[in-house]
Amino acid sequence: KMAEKQEEPSNAQNGEPDNAEEGEEKKKKKLKREDLPPFEIVTGERLPAIFFKFQFRNVEYSSGRNKTFLCYVLETQGRESVTSRGYLEDEHAAAHAEMAFFNTILPKCESSLRYNVTWYVSSSPCVTCADRITETLKKNKNLRLTIMVGRLFMWEEPEMQAALKKMKSAGCKLRIMKPQDFEYVWQNFVEQEEGEEAKAFVPWEDIQENFQYYEEKLLEIL
């Protein structure tokens, strides 16, 4: 896929004057359009069903699942409550979706408002992201965060376990997604085919066992 992208002719080859600044602008636009890393923020849109079915599967061996999909519901309580939702995805090579959420969706918490945030994430955060979550929650007492995860990431590692414990003590609620949570994501965040009746969520065969497996692990850790 990358190779195809690189073969596209540049402006200069198209016979257009390639004035550097204009070229930069175009490059930026082009990058945006092609959704290259570090991460993409998609608000008000839904993620393709094929991504959901692959990335959110709560399997034990997550080979090839090296992206994080983070669907969020952000409720801001001020004079009036405002709820927004969207999803972020990342390529693990660059900034992670969890960081992107704090840097872009919630860059500054206003102390006069309260924020209730729920994330539905394909897997639990890495150590660096977990530490960032802990710091953010300690700094912003008006932020409540619940993270619903499909899988636990590297949960056998002692430093990962320690990071998850710190998140909990900073007030983060960490939960494993139940079949109903996957269904909620399916209904609220996944593209339904145009013009078709919304397809019902079809749970995969081991969804309940895998949920129980991860829930036990999480209980042991926390």
Side-chain angles (χ1 to χ4, degrees), residues 5-35:
K5 283 185 183 169
Q6 285 160 1
E7 281 160 22
E8 288 184 10
S10 76
N11 300 332
Q13 287 166 321
N14 285 342
E16 292 174 24
D18 203 1
N19 127 7
E21 220 148 276
E22 204 180 303
E24 275 308 295
E25 270 314 297
K26 284 197 170 149
K27 250 192 208 138
K28 273 187 202 147
K29 276 194 184 122
K30 196 166 141 192
L31 284 181
K32 253 205 171 73
R33 201 179 62 236
E34 295 181 345
D35 310 328

PDB file of all heavy atoms in Angstrom, residues 5-35:
ATOM      1  N   LYS A   5       1.390   4.630  -2.745  1.00  0.00           N
ATOM      2  CA  LYS A   5       1.268   6.042  -2.373  1.00  0.00           C
ATOM      3  C   LYS A   5       2.487   6.835  -2.834  1.00  0.00           C
ATOM      4  O   LYS A   5       2.361   7.950  -3.280  1.00  0.00           O
ATOM      5  CB  LYS A   5       1.126   6.182  -0.859  1.00  0.00           C
ATOM      6  CG  LYS A   5      -0.255   5.823  -0.410  1.00  0.00           C
ATOM      7  CD  LYS A   5      -0.424   6.066   1.062  1.00  0.00           C
ATOM      8  CE  LYS A   5      -1.810   5.609   1.494  1.00  0.00           C
ATOM      9  NZ  LYS A   5      -1.966   5.560   2.901  1.00  0.00           N
ATOM     10  N   GLN A   6       3.658   6.214  -2.688  1.00  0.00           N
ATOM     11  CA  GLN A   6       4.859   6.971  -2.999  1.00  0.00           C
ATOM     12  C   GLN A   6       5.000   7.210  -4.494  1.00  0.00           C
ATOM     13  O   GLN A   6       5.697   8.096  -4.916  1.00  0.00           O
ATOM     14  CB  GLN A   6       6.089   6.230  -2.485  1.00  0.00           C
ATOM     15  CG  GLN A   6       6.200   6.362  -0.982  1.00  0.00           C
ATOM     16  CD  GLN A   6       7.079   5.283  -0.393  1.00  0.00           C
ATOM     17  OE1 GLN A   6       7.602   4.460  -1.113  1.00  0.00           O
ATOM     18  NE2 GLN A   6       7.236   5.293   0.906  1.00  0.00           N
ATOM     19  N   GLU A   7       4.347   6.391  -5.297  1.00  0.00           N
ATOM     20  CA  GLU A   7       4.525   6.547  -6.729  1.00  0.00           C
ATOM     21  C   GLU A   7       3.713   7.697  -7.312  1.00  0.00           C
ATOM     22  O   GLU A   7       3.792   7.992  -8.481  1.00  0.00           O
ATOM     23  CB  GLU A   7       4.151   5.255  -7.451  1.00  0.00           C
ATOM     24  CG  GLU A   7       5.269   4.217  -7.354  1.00  0.00           C
ATOM     25  CD  GLU A   7       4.749   2.829  -7.607  1.00  0.00           C
ATOM     26  OE1 GLU A   7       3.692   2.703  -8.239  1.00  0.00           O
ATOM     27  OE2 GLU A   7       5.398   1.866  -7.161  1.00  0.00           O
ATOM     28  N   GLU A   8       2.846   8.291  -6.476  1.00  0.00           N
ATOM     29  CA  GLU A   8       2.061   9.396  -7.028  1.00  0.00           C
ATOM     30  C   GLU A   8       2.985  10.525  -7.448  1.00  0.00           C
ATOM     31  O   GLU A   8       3.913  10.884  -6.735  1.00  0.00           O
ATOM     32  CB  GLU A   8       1.094   9.930  -5.965  1.00  0.00           C
ATOM     33  CG  GLU A   8      -0.032   8.951  -5.721  1.00  0.00           C
ATOM     34  CD  GLU A   8      -1.043   9.521  -4.752  1.00  0.00           C
ATOM     35  OE1 GLU A   8      -0.952  10.716  -4.449  1.00  0.00           O
ATOM     36  OE2 GLU A   8      -1.906   8.756  -4.320  1.00  0.00           O
ATOM     37  N   PRO A   9       2.719  11.128  -8.625  1.00  0.00           N
ATOM     38  CA  PRO A   9       3.604  12.196  -9.089  1.00  0.00           C
ATOM     39  C   PRO A   9       3.525  13.408  -8.187  1.00  0.00           C
ATOM     40  O   PRO A   9       2.480  13.701  -7.625  1.00  0.00           O
ATOM     41  CB  PRO A   9       3.057  12.517 -10.484  1.00  0.00           C
ATOM     42  CG  PRO A   9       1.657  12.001 -10.490  1.00  0.00           C
ATOM     43  CD  PRO A   9       1.602  10.868  -9.529  1.00  0.00           C
ATOM     44  N   SER A  10       4.643  14.094  -8.040  1.00  0.00           N
ATOM     45  CA  SER A  10       4.617  15.305  -7.225  1.00  0.00           C
ATOM     46  C   SER A  10       4.095  16.440  -8.085  1.00  0.00           C
ATOM     47  O   SER A  10       3.980  16.314  -9.301  1.00  0.00           O
ATOM     48  CB  SER A  10       6.021  15.643  -6.754  1.00  0.00           C
ATOM     49  OG  SER A  10       6.714  16.207  -7.838  1.00  0.00           O
ATOM     50  N   ASN A  11       3.815  17.592  -7.455  1.00  0.00           N
ATOM     51  CA  ASN A  11       3.279  18.734  -8.207  1.00  0.00           C
ATOM     52  C   ASN A  11       4.199  19.113  -9.365  1.00  0.00           C
ATOM     53  O   ASN A  11       3.763  19.461 -10.437  1.00  0.00           O
ATOM     54  CB  ASN A  11       3.146  19.954  -7.304  1.00  0.00           C
ATOM     55  CG  ASN A  11       2.207  19.637  -6.172  1.00  0.00           C
ATOM     56  OD1 ASN A  11       1.325  18.800  -6.344  1.00  0.00           O
ATOM     57  ND2 ASN A  11       2.390  20.257  -5.029  1.00  0.00           N
ATOM     58  N   ALA A  12       5.517  19.063  -9.104  1.00  0.00           N
ATOM     59  CA  ALA A  12       6.463  19.516 -10.111  1.00  0.00           C
ATOM     60  C   ALA A  12       6.323  18.661 -11.368  1.00  0.00           C
ATOM     61  O   ALA A  12       6.320  19.169 -12.481  1.00  0.00           O
ATOM     62  CB  ALA A  12       7.878  19.435  -9.572  1.00  0.00           C
ATOM     63  N   GLN A  13       6.184  17.356 -11.160  1.00  0.00           N
ATOM     64  CA  GLN A  13       6.082  16.495 -12.332  1.00  0.00           C
ATOM     65  C   GLN A  13       4.786  16.726 -13.089  1.00  0.00           C
ATOM     66  O   GLN A  13       4.676  16.402 -14.255  1.00  0.00           O
ATOM     67  CB  GLN A  13       6.161  15.028 -11.902  1.00  0.00           C
ATOM     68  CG  GLN A  13       7.567  14.641 -11.505  1.00  0.00           C
ATOM     69  CD  GLN A  13       7.565  13.324 -10.768  1.00  0.00           C
ATOM     70  OE1 GLN A  13       6.686  13.054  -9.967  1.00  0.00           O
ATOM     71  NE2 GLN A  13       8.541  12.492 -11.022  1.00  0.00           N
ATOM     72  N   ASN A  14       3.816  17.271 -12.403  1.00  0.00           N
ATOM     73  CA  ASN A  14       2.555  17.548 -13.083  1.00  0.00           C
ATOM     74  C   ASN A  14       2.638  18.816 -13.902  1.00  0.00           C
ATOM     75  O   ASN A  14       1.642  19.296 -14.411  1.00  0.00           O
ATOM     76  CB  ASN A  14       1.426  17.748 -12.065  1.00  0.00           C
ATOM     77  CG  ASN A  14       1.011  16.420 -11.496  1.00  0.00           C
ATOM     78  OD1 ASN A  14       1.315  15.395 -12.079  1.00  0.00           O
ATOM     79  ND2 ASN A  14       0.331  16.438 -10.373  1.00  0.00           N
ATOM     80  N   GLY A  15       3.824  19.414 -13.958  1.00  0.00           N
ATOM     81  CA  GLY A  15       3.971  20.629 -14.733  1.00  0.00           C
ATOM     82  C   GLY A  15       3.454  21.847 -13.986  1.00  0.00           C
ATOM     83  O   GLY A  15       3.312  22.920 -14.550  1.00  0.00           O
ATOM     84  N   GLU A  16       3.158  21.694 -12.706  1.00  0.00           N
ATOM     85  CA  GLU A  16       2.746  22.882 -11.938  1.00  0.00           C
ATOM     86  C   GLU A  16       3.992  23.485 -11.323  1.00  0.00           C
ATOM     87  O   GLU A  16       4.910  22.769 -10.962  1.00  0.00           O
ATOM     88  CB  GLU A  16       1.811  22.476 -10.789  1.00  0.00           C
ATOM     89  CG  GLU A  16       0.473  21.982 -11.249  1.00  0.00           C
ATOM     90  CD  GLU A  16      -0.335  21.462 -10.065  1.00  0.00           C
ATOM     91  OE1 GLU A  16      -0.052  21.911  -8.931  1.00  0.00           O
ATOM     92  OE2 GLU A  16      -1.201  20.617 -10.269  1.00  0.00           O
ATOM     93  N   PRO A  17       4.009  24.812 -11.176  1.00  0.00           N
ATOM     94  CA  PRO A  17       5.170  25.406 -10.503  1.00  0.00           C
ATOM     95  C   PRO A  17       5.184  24.883  -9.077  1.00  0.00           C
ATOM     96  O   PRO A  17       4.165  24.932  -8.399  1.00  0.00           O
ATOM     97  CB  PRO A  17       4.888  26.904 -10.546  1.00  0.00           C
ATOM     98  CG  PRO A  17       3.405  27.007 -10.739  1.00  0.00           C
ATOM     99  CD  PRO A  17       2.971  25.787 -11.481  1.00  0.00           C
ATOM    100  N   ASP A  18       6.313  24.368  -8.641  1.00  0.00           N
ATOM    101  CA  ASP A  18       6.328  23.790  -7.298  1.00  0.00           C
ATOM    102  C   ASP A  18       6.963  24.767  -6.331  1.00  0.00           C
ATOM    103  O   ASP A  18       8.024  24.539  -5.800  1.00  0.00           O
ATOM    104  CB  ASP A  18       7.087  22.461  -7.316  1.00  0.00           C
ATOM    105  CG  ASP A  18       6.671  21.596  -6.150  1.00  0.00           C
ATOM    106  OD1 ASP A  18       5.807  22.046  -5.377  1.00  0.00           O
ATOM    107  OD2 ASP A  18       7.187  20.483  -6.004  1.00  0.00           O
ATOM    108  N   ASN A  19       6.295  25.858  -6.131  1.00  0.00           N
ATOM    109  CA  ASN A  19       6.828  26.852  -5.195  1.00  0.00           C
ATOM    110  C   ASN A  19       6.802  26.208  -3.809  1.00  0.00           C
ATOM    111  O   ASN A  19       5.859  25.551  -3.432  1.00  0.00           O
ATOM    112  CB  ASN A  19       6.035  28.145  -5.418  1.00  0.00           C
ATOM    113  CG  ASN A  19       5.415  28.742  -4.186  1.00  0.00           C
ATOM    114  OD1 ASN A  19       5.652  28.290  -3.069  1.00  0.00           O
ATOM    115  ND2 ASN A  19       4.605  29.743  -4.386  1.00  0.00           N
ATOM    116  N   ALA A  20       7.908  26.354  -3.096  1.00  0.00           N
ATOM    117  CA  ALA A  20       8.122  25.541  -1.895  1.00  0.00           C
ATOM    118  C   ALA A  20       6.970  25.628  -0.913  1.00  0.00           C
ATOM    119  O   ALA A  20       6.487  24.626  -0.421  1.00  0.00           O
ATOM    120  CB  ALA A  20       9.417  25.961  -1.225  1.00  0.00           C
ATOM    121  N   GLU A  21       6.508  26.865  -0.652  1.00  0.00           N
ATOM    122  CA  GLU A  21       5.494  26.997   0.388  1.00  0.00           C
ATOM    123  C   GLU A  21       4.194  26.332  -0.017  1.00  0.00           C
ATOM    124  O   GLU A  21       3.562  25.636   0.742  1.00  0.00           O
ATOM    125  CB  GLU A  21       5.232  28.477   0.651  1.00  0.00           C
ATOM    126  CG  GLU A  21       5.053  28.742   2.120  1.00  0.00           C
ATOM    127  CD  GLU A  21       5.560  30.118   2.474  1.00  0.00           C
ATOM    128  OE1 GLU A  21       6.768  30.272   2.695  1.00  0.00           O
ATOM    129  OE2 GLU A  21       4.731  31.026   2.466  1.00  0.00           O
ATOM    130  N   GLU A  22       3.829  26.576  -1.255  1.00  0.00           N
ATOM    131  CA  GLU A  22       2.601  25.987  -1.753  1.00  0.00           C
ATOM    132  C   GLU A  22       2.724  24.462  -1.712  1.00  0.00           C
ATOM    133  O   GLU A  22       1.808  23.764  -1.325  1.00  0.00           O
ATOM    134  CB  GLU A  22       2.407  26.459  -3.190  1.00  0.00           C
ATOM    135  CG  GLU A  22       0.954  26.417  -3.632  1.00  0.00           C
ATOM    136  CD  GLU A  22       0.851  26.906  -5.073  1.00  0.00           C
ATOM    137  OE1 GLU A  22       1.292  28.034  -5.332  1.00  0.00           O
ATOM    138  OE2 GLU A  22       0.385  26.141  -5.913  1.00  0.00           O
ATOM    139  N   GLY A  23       3.931  24.009  -2.101  1.00  0.00           N
ATOM    140  CA  GLY A  23       4.180  22.571  -2.076  1.00  0.00           C
ATOM    141  C   GLY A  23       3.983  22.011  -0.682  1.00  0.00           C
ATOM    142  O   GLY A  23       3.345  20.982  -0.494  1.00  0.00           O
ATOM    143  N   GLU A  24       4.482  22.736   0.321  1.00  0.00           N
ATOM    144  CA  GLU A  24       4.344  22.287   1.714  1.00  0.00           C
ATOM    145  C   GLU A  24       2.874  22.153   2.072  1.00  0.00           C
ATOM    146  O   GLU A  24       2.432  21.178   2.644  1.00  0.00           O
ATOM    147  CB  GLU A  24       5.002  23.300   2.679  1.00  0.00           C
ATOM    148  CG  GLU A  24       6.483  23.106   2.864  1.00  0.00           C
ATOM    149  CD  GLU A  24       6.844  21.676   3.237  1.00  0.00           C
ATOM    150  OE1 GLU A  24       6.442  21.231   4.317  1.00  0.00           O
ATOM    151  OE2 GLU A  24       7.499  20.989   2.431  1.00  0.00           O
ATOM    152  N   GLU A  25       2.127  23.218   1.733  1.00  0.00           N
ATOM    153  CA  GLU A  25       0.697  23.221   2.045  1.00  0.00           C
ATOM    154  C   GLU A  25       0.022  21.998   1.428  1.00  0.00           C
ATOM    155  O   GLU A  25      -0.733  21.308   2.066  1.00  0.00           O
ATOM    156  CB  GLU A  25       0.029  24.500   1.508  1.00  0.00           C
ATOM    157  CG  GLU A  25       0.024  25.649   2.489  1.00  0.00           C
ATOM    158  CD  GLU A  25      -0.403  25.207   3.890  1.00  0.00           C
ATOM    159  OE1 GLU A  25      -1.552  24.761   4.072  1.00  0.00           O
ATOM    160  OE2 GLU A  25       0.441  25.303   4.800  1.00  0.00           O
ATOM    161  N   LYS A  26       0.355  21.801   0.157  1.00  0.00           N
ATOM    162  CA  LYS A  26      -0.282  20.676  -0.541  1.00  0.00           C
ATOM    163  C   LYS A  26       0.105  19.359   0.106  1.00  0.00           C
ATOM    164  O   LYS A  26      -0.703  18.473   0.257  1.00  0.00           O
ATOM    165  CB  LYS A  26       0.131  20.670  -2.012  1.00  0.00           C
ATOM    166  CG  LYS A  26      -0.595  21.751  -2.785  1.00  0.00           C
ATOM    167  CD  LYS A  26      -0.523  21.514  -4.270  1.00  0.00           C
ATOM    168  CE  LYS A  26      -1.483  22.484  -4.957  1.00  0.00           C
ATOM    169  NZ  LYS A  26      -1.022  22.870  -6.277  1.00  0.00           N
ATOM    170  N   LYS A  27       1.387  19.291   0.480  1.00  0.00           N
ATOM    171  CA  LYS A  27       1.864  18.068   1.113  1.00  0.00           C
ATOM    172  C   LYS A  27       1.067  17.792   2.374  1.00  0.00           C
ATOM    173  O   LYS A  27       0.630  16.699   2.629  1.00  0.00           O
ATOM    174  CB  LYS A  27       3.336  18.240   1.497  1.00  0.00           C
ATOM    175  CG  LYS A  27       4.246  17.397   0.636  1.00  0.00           C
ATOM    176  CD  LYS A  27       5.646  17.375   1.229  1.00  0.00           C
ATOM    177  CE  LYS A  27       6.677  17.181   0.143  1.00  0.00           C
ATOM    178  NZ  LYS A  27       7.846  18.009   0.291  1.00  0.00           N
ATOM    179  N   LYS A  28       0.885  18.860   3.163  1.00  0.00           N
ATOM    180  CA  LYS A  28       0.155  18.698   4.427  1.00  0.00           C
ATOM    181  C   LYS A  28      -1.250  18.193   4.136  1.00  0.00           C
ATOM    182  O   LYS A  28      -1.745  17.280   4.776  1.00  0.00           O
ATOM    183  CB  LYS A  28       0.066  20.036   5.156  1.00  0.00           C
ATOM    184  CG  LYS A  28       1.268  20.289   6.027  1.00  0.00           C
ATOM    185  CD  LYS A  28       1.072  21.544   6.855  1.00  0.00           C
ATOM    186  CE  LYS A  28       2.406  22.098   7.299  1.00  0.00           C
ATOM    187  NZ  LYS A  28       2.421  23.541   7.403  1.00  0.00           N
ATOM    188  N   LYS A  29      -1.888  18.838   3.156  1.00  0.00           N
ATOM    189  CA  LYS A  29      -3.256  18.438   2.829  1.00  0.00           C
ATOM    190  C   LYS A  29      -3.288  16.979   2.404  1.00  0.00           C
ATOM    191  O   LYS A  29      -4.162  16.232   2.776  1.00  0.00           O
ATOM    192  CB  LYS A  29      -3.797  19.301   1.696  1.00  0.00           C
ATOM    193  CG  LYS A  29      -4.366  20.608   2.197  1.00  0.00           C
ATOM    194  CD  LYS A  29      -5.200  21.294   1.136  1.00  0.00           C
ATOM    195  CE  LYS A  29      -5.676  22.639   1.650  1.00  0.00           C
ATOM    196  NZ  LYS A  29      -5.262  23.743   0.802  1.00  0.00           N
ATOM    197  N   LYS A  30      -2.289  16.618   1.601  1.00  0.00           N
ATOM    198  CA  LYS A  30      -2.257  15.266   1.079  1.00  0.00           C
ATOM    199  C   LYS A  30      -2.069  14.270   2.221  1.00  0.00           C
ATOM    200  O   LYS A  30      -2.743  13.256   2.301  1.00  0.00           O
ATOM    201  CB  LYS A  30      -1.108  15.155   0.096  1.00  0.00           C
ATOM    202  CG  LYS A  30      -1.208  13.946  -0.779  1.00  0.00           C
ATOM    203  CD  LYS A  30      -0.232  14.088  -1.927  1.00  0.00           C
ATOM    204  CE  LYS A  30       0.366  12.745  -2.194  1.00  0.00           C
ATOM    205  NZ  LYS A  30       1.486  12.781  -3.060  1.00  0.00           N
ATOM    206  N   LEU A  31      -1.172  14.619   3.146  1.00  0.00           N
ATOM    207  CA  LEU A  31      -0.949  13.726   4.285  1.00  0.00           C
ATOM    208  C   LEU A  31      -2.237  13.532   5.037  1.00  0.00           C
ATOM    209  O   LEU A  31      -2.608  12.436   5.393  1.00  0.00           O
ATOM    210  CB  LEU A  31       0.092  14.322   5.230  1.00  0.00           C
ATOM    211  CG  LEU A  31       1.537  14.224   4.768  1.00  0.00           C
ATOM    212  CD1 LEU A  31       2.442  14.827   5.819  1.00  0.00           C
ATOM    213  CD2 LEU A  31       1.938  12.778   4.535  1.00  0.00           C
ATOM    214  N   LYS A  32      -2.926  14.648   5.259  1.00  0.00           N
ATOM    215  CA  LYS A  32      -4.181  14.577   6.010  1.00  0.00           C
ATOM    216  C   LYS A  32      -5.136  13.630   5.312  1.00  0.00           C
ATOM    217  O   LYS A  32      -5.747  12.781   5.905  1.00  0.00           O
ATOM    218  CB  LYS A  32      -4.815  15.965   6.047  1.00  0.00           C
ATOM    219  CG  LYS A  32      -4.706  16.620   7.393  1.00  0.00           C
ATOM    220  CD  LYS A  32      -5.814  17.640   7.560  1.00  0.00           C
ATOM    221  CE  LYS A  32      -5.851  18.140   8.990  1.00  0.00           C
ATOM    222  NZ  LYS A  32      -4.761  19.035   9.308  1.00  0.00           N
ATOM    223  N   ARG A  33      -5.224  13.816   4.009  1.00  0.00           N
ATOM    224  CA  ARG A  33      -6.213  13.055   3.271  1.00  0.00           C
ATOM    225  C   ARG A  33      -5.904  11.560   3.330  1.00  0.00           C
ATOM    226  O   ARG A  33      -6.792  10.737   3.340  1.00  0.00           O
ATOM    227  CB  ARG A  33      -6.209  13.518   1.823  1.00  0.00           C
ATOM    228  CG  ARG A  33      -7.497  13.173   1.090  1.00  0.00           C
ATOM    229  CD  ARG A  33      -7.469  13.662  -0.328  1.00  0.00           C
ATOM    230  NE  ARG A  33      -6.397  13.036  -1.090  1.00  0.00           N
ATOM    231  CZ  ARG A  33      -5.461  13.709  -1.736  1.00  0.00           C
ATOM    232  NH1 ARG A  33      -5.425  15.021  -1.670  1.00  0.00           N
ATOM    233  NH2 ARG A  33      -4.531  13.072  -2.439  1.00  0.00           N
ATOM    234  N   GLU A  34      -4.636  11.231   3.373  1.00  0.00           N
ATOM    235  CA  GLU A  34      -4.304   9.810   3.321  1.00  0.00           C
ATOM    236  C   GLU A  34      -4.174   9.183   4.704  1.00  0.00           C
ATOM    237  O   GLU A  34      -3.754   8.055   4.840  1.00  0.00           O
ATOM    238  CB  GLU A  34      -2.999   9.618   2.542  1.00  0.00           C
ATOM    239  CG  GLU A  34      -3.185  10.023   1.096  1.00  0.00           C
ATOM    240  CD  GLU A  34      -1.943   9.827   0.277  1.00  0.00           C
ATOM    241  OE1 GLU A  34      -0.867   9.657   0.856  1.00  0.00           O
ATOM    242  OE2 GLU A  34      -2.055   9.853  -0.946  1.00  0.00           O
ATOM    243  N   ASP A  35      -4.523   9.960   5.726  1.00  0.00           N
ATOM    244  CA  ASP A  35      -4.559   9.422   7.086  1.00  0.00           C
ATOM    245  C   ASP A  35      -3.273   8.732   7.482  1.00  0.00           C
ATOM    246  O   ASP A  35      -3.289   7.602   7.937  1.00  0.00           O
ATOM    247  CB  ASP A  35      -5.675   8.375   7.244  1.00  0.00           C
ATOM    248  CG  ASP A  35      -6.989   8.903   6.720  1.00  0.00           C
ATOM    249  OD1 ASP A  35      -7.209  10.115   6.823  1.00  0.00           O
ATOM    250  OD2 ASP A  35      -7.756   8.106   6.215  1.00  0.00           O
TER     251      ASP A  35
END
